[in-house]
Each structure stands twice: as C-alpha cells, then as structure tokens.
Amino acid sequence: MYNNLTTAVTQNVQLNVTPELKQSLFILQISAEELADFLQMKAVDNPLLDIVWPSLRFGRSNLTGMDPKDRLLNNISLPTDTIESMLLAQLRLKNISKSAYATASYLAGNISETGYLEVSVGLVAETLGRSEEEVKEALAYLQALEPAGIAARDLRECLLLQIERDAKRDPWAETIVQNHLQELAGGKWKQLAEKLKLSIETIRTTLDYIRSLNPRPGMVYGEQTPNYWLPDAVILKNQGEYELFMTDAYLPKVAYNREYRTYLSGNMTSDGLQYLREQSQDAEQLLRSLEQRKTTLRRVIENIIKEQKAFLDHGVSHLKPMKLKTIADHLSLHESTISRAVQNKCIQTPQGWYELKFFFPSGVSTAEGEDASAESIKSEIKHLVHQEDKKHPLSDQQITDLLVKIGIQLSRRTVMKYREEMKILSSRLRS
C-alpha cells in the first residue's frame, strides 16, 4: 500500500518583501504632494522625527543673497485652476451623499484635458469597492456640470450630453448622433436621408448644428498644467547645455532627533525602550528611503535629458521613443524601479510642464529606419490639421500621404486612430 511513496527535496525561490522595501517602493512612486502629506503623518506618529516646512513664497526683499537655485525656483509659476478643481468646486454646491461625492471626485481626477473620462466604470467600481450602478450615478452628477459634454466616455456621448441640455437643439440631432454618427461622418447623406425619410437639406441643417457643438469641452479651461503642487525638477538651458535643478527643497525637511531619543530613554521601562527602538529604526528607514528616492529620481531625469535632447531643443515633434528598459540598463536598476520612479512626477522644461511618463512613448518606424514616437506623430497630425484649408479639410488618406512624404510610414487606419485619440473630428465633420 505504501510502495509508491518517495521522499523528494525541492527548492523554491521566493521574494521576501520587507516592510522597509515596501515603504521604499511606496515613497519612490508617490508624487511630491503625496510625499509631503505622508511625511506629515509619519512625524505625528513618530516622536523621533523632526519635520520643518519651508516657506513656499519669498518676498522680493528676501531675494538678496538667496541661493541662485532658490531664486530660480521662486519664479516657477504654480498651476492655475484645473479641470478637476473646477469640477470639484461645482460638485461642492450639489446636495449629494458623501459616497456619491467621493466617487464623483475620483472620476473628476480622471478627466483628460479635452474633457473625456479616461477610466471605465467597471475599473472605478473595482478600485473603489462600489457597484457599477453607484459609479454611473456619480458619473451622471459629473456630466450634469459645466461645460456641457464634460466627463463623456466617447465623442457620441459628448455630443448627446450637449444636445440634451440645449433648449434650441436641432430636432434630428439626437437621433442622428445616437444611431447614425458614422454614416454622417462618412458623408453618406443621401442614404441617411432615404433611411430617415428626410430631405438632403434637413440633413445638412442637422450637420451644421452638430458641427456647432464642442467635441473637446475640457479645452474651455485652456491649456492645463498637470495637477501637481510643484514640479519635481526644473530643466533650464544655459549656454547651450541643459542644467537640472531638483525641487526637493520645497519638501519638508525631515531629521532624526537623536538628542530627544537620549532624553526619552533616561527614565523608560523595558516596554518603553522597546517602543523607542522600534521608532528609532522606523525613522532611520524612512530617511534611507527618502535619500534613495532623491538619488533615483535625479539619475532617471539626467538620463531623460541625455536621451531627449532633441525634444528639449525643438518640442514634441522631436520626441524620441524611449523604453523603461533603456533607462534601467543605463542605471543598472530593475525596469519596475524606473516605472515607479516616473509615476506621479512632473518636470518643468523649456518646452513646458510634462509628466515623466510622457517621455516613454511607443515608437513607429520611419523611412530612414529610425523611430518616431507616437506623440511626435500626433503632434505632426495636429499641425497638419491646424494648417489645412478649412473649406477643404484633409482626409485621413491625405494626412497619411503627407506623413509619408516626410518619411513617416503609417497606415491610414493608424492615422485615424491617432486622430480619434486626440478627439479631432473627421474631415467630413471639420468642413
């Protein structure tokens, strides 16, 4: 009965994530504003941590003798009102439950600069532990705010939201946008008129009305800076070379108070001393994690400067495709570490404010065998549309042909995909 039993030795390799490593990874990934809040909480919990908040504003009389870097950082303009802050200001005036407000606030933080919701209802429900019906209810509150069309999930919903709130709406606009938007965009007016038993003139009148709607409602707030407290770094050009200034001087200063530890340990019980040892270890681990964050972030941005010099010189159209693995190999770090380092970080460059993750776009091959980033190609498409004859807008195929002439090999389908991602209407709807 036991003849088939054998003894075997197996070896398993398991990664043990220590509390210190977990905290270090957390600190690396969060934004500067979140880090400031985290440090404030740590200082409250740990009596051995001293935290000093810097002044975010300098009077002009204090500029004399100031460190040049501090004088530079004093000139950084803080972000203006964002789409998120404007929506939250409106939400606070609504009589809704705390749960609905919390969900709507989360949704507001995931609105793109053009005004579209960038996350799915299902994902939000899973993330917040809400039902999809609760998320949809919160989304409805958000979509009822100004401007009309905000928080839509696609172009069709954006237009429908505007039509619904327009007392002078075209009588056929809702039906056509809801059920026949692709036919309208494709110029199939005659077939559409026959299907709906309408005249061509009625279809054209409805089309004119639809063109009057705003396909990018978020842009009414103007060009928005990412919602960051301050940039994590500033890149300036000085005599042809780029200089990097880390803005960690605006984070609270954290120090380990050894004198206070000595004072407390004088009259403590064994339990008290054990608590003190734990707090001492926690403080030292925190300081190591902060130093590691600072060093890693600086090294990552220095490599981005080396790799993206053309972008810094000329703008988005010269953005070079770059992979996390490229930076990871340069720094002898794991790719996941680089991924965490670029999350929730923003830098100010000669070309404007950008999130660090912006510098890691996908690439497309050019005729010369080099790579062009998706962002640079989108920039080129946007430029072509901006320069087009408004009476005879460029079709996707014409844009494709123009891109091929400058060495960017792209299919018409990809051009259409990029155009739609930028919320640019088709040529039929732009004419």
CSV table of all heavy atoms in Angstrom, one decimal, residues 28 292-304 306-307 323-335 337-339 341-342 360:
chain,number,residue,atom,x,y,z
A,28,LEU,N,9.0,56.0,-3.4
A,28,LEU,CA,9.5,56.3,-4.8
A,28,LEU,C,8.4,56.6,-5.8
A,28,LEU,O,8.6,57.4,-6.7
A,28,LEU,CB,10.3,55.1,-5.3
A,28,LEU,CG,10.9,55.1,-6.7
A,28,LEU,CD1,11.9,56.3,-6.8
A,28,LEU,CD2,11.6,53.8,-7.1
A,292,GLN,N,17.1,57.5,-1.0
A,292,GLN,CA,17.1,56.6,-2.2
A,292,GLN,C,16.2,57.2,-3.3
A,292,GLN,O,16.5,57.2,-4.5
A,292,GLN,CB,16.7,55.2,-1.8
A,292,GLN,CG,16.8,54.2,-3.0
A,292,GLN,CD,16.4,52.8,-2.5
A,292,GLN,OE1,15.9,52.6,-1.4
A,292,GLN,NE2,16.6,51.9,-3.4
A,293,ARG,N,15.0,57.7,-2.9
A,293,ARG,CA,14.1,58.4,-3.8
A,293,ARG,C,14.7,59.5,-4.5
A,293,ARG,O,14.6,59.7,-5.8
A,293,ARG,CB,12.8,58.8,-3.1
A,293,ARG,CG,11.8,59.5,-3.9
A,293,ARG,CD,10.7,60.1,-3.1
A,293,ARG,NE,9.5,60.5,-3.8
A,293,ARG,CZ,9.4,61.7,-4.4
A,293,ARG,NH1,10.3,62.6,-4.3
A,293,ARG,NH2,8.3,62.0,-5.1
A,294,LYS,N,15.4,60.4,-3.8
A,294,LYS,CA,16.0,61.5,-4.3
A,294,LYS,C,17.1,61.2,-5.3
A,294,LYS,O,17.2,61.7,-6.4
A,294,LYS,CB,16.7,62.3,-3.2
A,294,LYS,CG,17.4,63.6,-3.6
A,294,LYS,CD,18.0,64.3,-2.4
A,294,LYS,CE,18.8,65.5,-2.8
A,294,LYS,NZ,19.3,66.2,-1.6
A,295,THR,N,17.9,60.2,-5.0
A,295,THR,CA,19.0,59.8,-5.9
A,295,THR,C,18.5,59.1,-7.1
A,295,THR,O,18.9,59.5,-8.3
A,295,THR,CB,19.9,58.8,-5.1
A,295,THR,OG1,20.5,59.4,-4.0
A,295,THR,CG2,21.1,58.4,-6.0
A,296,THR,N,17.5,58.2,-7.0
A,296,THR,CA,17.0,57.5,-8.2
A,296,THR,C,16.3,58.5,-9.1
A,296,THR,O,16.5,58.4,-10.3
A,296,THR,CB,16.0,56.5,-7.7
A,296,THR,OG1,16.6,55.5,-6.8
A,296,THR,CG2,15.4,55.7,-8.9
A,297,LEU,N,15.5,59.4,-8.6
A,297,LEU,CA,14.8,60.4,-9.4
A,297,LEU,C,15.7,61.3,-10.2
A,297,LEU,O,15.5,61.5,-11.4
A,297,LEU,CB,13.8,61.2,-8.5
A,297,LEU,CG,12.7,62.0,-9.2
A,297,LEU,CD1,11.9,61.1,-10.1
A,297,LEU,CD2,11.9,62.7,-8.2
A,298,ARG,N,16.8,61.7,-9.5
A,298,ARG,CA,17.8,62.6,-10.2
A,298,ARG,C,18.4,61.8,-11.3
A,298,ARG,O,18.6,62.3,-12.5
A,298,ARG,CB,18.8,63.1,-9.2
A,298,ARG,CG,20.0,63.8,-9.9
A,298,ARG,CD,21.0,64.3,-8.9
A,298,ARG,NE,20.6,65.5,-8.3
A,298,ARG,CZ,20.7,66.7,-8.9
A,298,ARG,NH1,21.3,66.8,-10.1
A,298,ARG,NH2,20.4,67.8,-8.3
A,299,ARG,N,18.8,60.6,-11.1
A,299,ARG,CA,19.5,59.8,-12.1
A,299,ARG,C,18.6,59.5,-13.3
A,299,ARG,O,19.1,59.5,-14.5
A,299,ARG,CB,20.0,58.5,-11.5
A,299,ARG,CG,21.1,58.6,-10.4
A,299,ARG,CD,21.5,57.3,-9.9
A,299,ARG,NE,22.2,56.5,-10.8
A,299,ARG,CZ,22.3,55.1,-10.7
A,299,ARG,NH1,21.7,54.5,-9.7
A,299,ARG,NH2,22.9,54.5,-11.7
A,300,VAL,N,17.3,59.2,-13.0
A,300,VAL,CA,16.4,59.0,-14.1
A,300,VAL,C,16.2,60.2,-15.0
A,300,VAL,O,16.3,60.2,-16.2
A,300,VAL,CB,15.0,58.5,-13.5
A,300,VAL,CG1,13.9,58.5,-14.6
A,300,VAL,CG2,15.1,57.1,-12.9
A,301,ILE,N,16.0,61.4,-14.4
A,301,ILE,CA,15.8,62.6,-15.1
A,301,ILE,C,17.1,63.0,-15.9
A,301,ILE,O,17.0,63.5,-17.0
A,301,ILE,CB,15.4,63.8,-14.2
A,301,ILE,CG1,14.0,63.4,-13.5
A,301,ILE,CG2,15.2,65.1,-15.0
A,301,ILE,CD1,13.6,64.4,-12.5
A,302,GLU,N,18.3,62.8,-15.3
A,302,GLU,CA,19.5,63.1,-16.0
A,302,GLU,C,19.6,62.2,-17.3
A,302,GLU,O,20.1,62.7,-18.3
A,302,GLU,CB,20.7,62.8,-15.1
A,302,GLU,CG,20.9,63.8,-14.0
A,302,GLU,CD,22.0,63.5,-13.0
A,302,GLU,OE1,22.4,62.3,-13.0
A,302,GLU,OE2,22.5,64.3,-12.3
A,303,ASN,N,19.2,61.0,-17.2
A,303,ASN,CA,19.2,60.1,-18.4
A,303,ASN,C,18.1,60.6,-19.4
A,303,ASN,O,18.4,60.4,-20.6
A,303,ASN,CB,19.0,58.7,-18.0
A,303,ASN,CG,20.3,58.0,-17.7
A,303,ASN,OD1,20.8,57.3,-18.6
A,303,ASN,ND2,20.8,58.1,-16.5
A,304,ILE,N,17.0,61.0,-18.9
A,304,ILE,CA,16.0,61.5,-19.9
A,304,ILE,C,16.5,62.7,-20.6
A,304,ILE,O,16.3,62.9,-21.8
A,304,ILE,CB,14.7,61.9,-19.1
A,304,ILE,CG1,14.0,60.6,-18.6
A,304,ILE,CG2,13.7,62.7,-20.0
A,304,ILE,CD1,12.8,60.9,-17.8
A,306,LYS,N,19.6,63.3,-21.5
A,306,LYS,CA,20.6,62.8,-22.5
A,306,LYS,C,19.8,62.2,-23.7
A,306,LYS,O,20.2,62.4,-24.8
A,306,LYS,CB,21.5,61.8,-21.8
A,306,LYS,CG,22.4,62.3,-20.8
A,306,LYS,CD,23.3,61.2,-20.2
A,306,LYS,CE,24.2,61.7,-19.1
A,306,LYS,NZ,24.9,60.6,-18.5
A,307,GLU,N,18.8,61.5,-23.4
A,307,GLU,CA,18.0,60.8,-24.5
A,307,GLU,C,17.1,61.7,-25.2
A,307,GLU,O,16.8,61.5,-26.4
A,307,GLU,CB,17.2,59.6,-23.9
A,307,GLU,CG,18.0,58.5,-23.3
A,307,GLU,CD,18.8,57.7,-24.3
A,307,GLU,OE1,18.2,57.5,-25.4
A,307,GLU,OE2,19.9,57.2,-24.0
A,323,LYS,N,12.3,53.5,-24.0
A,323,LYS,CA,11.7,52.4,-23.2
A,323,LYS,C,12.2,52.5,-21.8
A,323,LYS,O,13.4,52.9,-21.5
A,323,LYS,CB,12.0,51.0,-23.8
A,323,LYS,CG,11.4,50.8,-25.2
A,323,LYS,CD,11.8,49.5,-25.7
A,323,LYS,CE,11.2,49.2,-27.1
A,323,LYS,NZ,11.6,47.9,-27.7
A,324,LEU,N,11.4,52.0,-20.8
A,324,LEU,CA,11.8,52.0,-19.4
A,324,LEU,C,13.1,51.1,-19.3
A,324,LEU,O,14.0,51.4,-18.5
A,324,LEU,CB,10.7,51.4,-18.6
A,324,LEU,CG,9.4,52.2,-18.4
A,324,LEU,CD1,8.4,51.4,-17.7
A,324,LEU,CD2,9.7,53.5,-17.7
A,325,LYS,N,13.2,50.1,-20.1
A,325,LYS,CA,14.3,49.2,-20.0
A,325,LYS,C,15.6,49.9,-20.4
A,325,LYS,O,16.7,49.6,-19.9
A,325,LYS,CB,14.1,48.0,-20.9
A,325,LYS,CG,15.1,46.9,-20.8
A,325,LYS,CD,14.8,45.7,-21.6
A,325,LYS,CE,15.8,44.5,-21.3
A,325,LYS,NZ,17.2,44.9,-21.5
A,326,THR,N,15.5,50.8,-21.3
A,326,THR,CA,16.7,51.6,-21.7
A,326,THR,C,17.3,52.3,-20.6
A,326,THR,O,18.5,52.2,-20.3
A,326,THR,CB,16.4,52.6,-22.9
A,326,THR,OG1,15.8,51.9,-24.0
A,326,THR,CG2,17.6,53.4,-23.3
A,327,ILE,N,16.5,53.0,-19.8
A,327,ILE,CA,17.0,53.8,-18.6
A,327,ILE,C,17.4,52.8,-17.6
A,327,ILE,O,18.4,53.0,-16.9
A,327,ILE,CB,15.9,54.7,-18.1
A,327,ILE,CG1,15.4,55.7,-19.2
A,327,ILE,CG2,16.4,55.5,-16.9
A,327,ILE,CD1,16.5,56.6,-19.7
A,328,ALA,N,16.7,51.7,-17.4
A,328,ALA,CA,17.0,50.7,-16.4
A,328,ALA,C,18.4,50.1,-16.6
A,328,ALA,O,19.2,49.9,-15.7
A,328,ALA,CB,16.0,49.6,-16.4
A,329,ASP,N,18.7,49.8,-17.9
A,329,ASP,CA,20.0,49.3,-18.3
A,329,ASP,C,21.1,50.3,-18.0
A,329,ASP,O,22.2,50.0,-17.5
A,329,ASP,CB,20.0,48.8,-19.7
A,329,ASP,CG,19.2,47.6,-20.0
A,329,ASP,OD1,18.8,46.9,-19.0
A,329,ASP,OD2,18.8,47.3,-21.2
A,330,HIS,N,20.8,51.6,-18.3
A,330,HIS,CA,21.8,52.6,-18.1
A,330,HIS,C,22.2,52.8,-16.6
A,330,HIS,O,23.3,53.0,-16.3
A,330,HIS,CB,21.3,53.9,-18.7
A,330,HIS,CG,21.3,54.0,-20.2
A,330,HIS,ND1,20.7,55.1,-20.8
A,330,HIS,CD2,21.8,53.2,-21.1
A,330,HIS,CE1,20.9,54.9,-22.1
A,330,HIS,NE2,21.5,53.7,-22.3
A,331,LEU,N,21.2,52.6,-15.8
A,331,LEU,CA,21.3,52.8,-14.4
A,331,LEU,C,21.6,51.6,-13.6
A,331,LEU,O,21.7,51.6,-12.3
A,331,LEU,CB,20.1,53.6,-13.8
A,331,LEU,CG,19.8,54.9,-14.4
A,331,LEU,CD1,18.6,55.6,-13.8
A,331,LEU,CD2,21.0,55.9,-14.4
A,332,SER,N,21.5,50.4,-14.3
A,332,SER,CA,21.7,49.1,-13.6
A,332,SER,C,20.6,48.9,-12.5
A,332,SER,O,20.9,48.5,-11.4
A,332,SER,CB,23.1,49.0,-13.0
A,332,SER,OG,24.1,49.1,-14.0
A,333,LEU,N,19.4,49.3,-12.9
A,333,LEU,CA,18.3,49.1,-12.0
A,333,LEU,C,17.2,48.3,-12.6
A,333,LEU,O,17.3,48.1,-13.9
A,333,LEU,CB,17.7,50.5,-11.6
A,333,LEU,CG,18.5,51.4,-10.8
A,333,LEU,CD1,17.8,52.8,-10.7
A,333,LEU,CD2,18.8,50.9,-9.4
A,334,HIS,N,16.3,47.7,-11.9
A,334,HIS,CA,15.2,46.9,-12.4
A,334,HIS,C,14.2,47.8,-13.2
A,334,HIS,O,14.0,49.0,-12.8
A,334,HIS,CB,14.5,46.1,-11.3
A,334,HIS,CG,13.7,45.0,-11.9
A,334,HIS,ND1,12.4,45.2,-12.4
A,334,HIS,CD2,13.9,43.7,-12.1
A,334,HIS,CE1,11.9,44.1,-12.8
A,334,HIS,NE2,12.8,43.1,-12.6
A,335,GLU,N,13.6,47.3,-14.2
A,335,GLU,CA,12.7,48.1,-15.0
A,335,GLU,C,11.5,48.6,-14.2
A,335,GLU,O,11.0,49.7,-14.3
A,335,GLU,CB,12.2,47.3,-16.2
A,335,GLU,CG,11.3,48.0,-17.2
A,335,GLU,CD,11.0,47.2,-18.4
A,335,GLU,OE1,11.7,46.2,-18.7
A,335,GLU,OE2,10.0,47.5,-19.1
A,337,THR,N,11.6,49.4,-11.1
A,337,THR,CA,12.0,50.6,-10.3
A,337,THR,C,11.9,51.9,-11.1
A,337,THR,O,11.4,52.9,-10.6
A,337,THR,CB,13.5,50.4,-9.9
A,337,THR,OG1,13.6,49.2,-9.1
A,337,THR,CG2,13.9,51.6,-9.0
A,338,ILE,N,12.3,51.8,-12.4
A,338,ILE,CA,12.1,53.0,-13.2
A,338,ILE,C,10.7,53.4,-13.4
A,338,ILE,O,10.3,54.5,-13.4
A,338,ILE,CB,12.8,52.8,-14.6
A,338,ILE,CG1,14.3,52.3,-14.4
A,338,ILE,CG2,12.7,54.0,-15.5
A,338,ILE,CD1,15.1,53.3,-13.7
A,339,SER,N,9.8,52.3,-13.6
A,339,SER,CA,8.4,52.5,-13.8
A,339,SER,C,7.8,53.3,-12.6
A,339,SER,O,7.0,54.2,-12.7
A,339,SER,CB,7.7,51.2,-14.0
A,339,SER,OG,6.3,51.4,-14.0
A,341,ALA,N,9.5,55.2,-10.5
A,341,ALA,CA,10.1,56.5,-10.4
A,341,ALA,C,9.4,57.5,-11.2
A,341,ALA,O,9.4,58.7,-10.9
A,341,ALA,CB,11.6,56.4,-10.7
A,342,VAL,N,8.9,57.1,-12.4
A,342,VAL,CA,8.3,58.1,-13.3
A,342,VAL,C,6.8,58.3,-13.0
A,342,VAL,O,6.2,59.2,-13.6
A,342,VAL,CB,8.5,57.7,-14.8
A,342,VAL,CG1,10.0,57.5,-15.1
A,342,VAL,CG2,7.8,56.4,-15.1
A,360,PHE,N,8.2,58.3,-22.3
A,360,PHE,CA,8.3,56.9,-22.6
A,360,PHE,C,7.2,56.5,-23.6
A,360,PHE,O,6.4,55.6,-23.3
A,360,PHE,CB,8.3,56.0,-21.4
A,360,PHE,CG,9.5,56.3,-20.5
A,360,PHE,CD1,9.4,57.3,-19.5
A,360,PHE,CD2,10.7,55.6,-20.6
A,360,PHE,CE1,10.5,57.6,-18.7
A,360,PHE,CE2,11.8,55.9,-19.8
A,360,PHE,CZ,11.7,56.9,-18.9
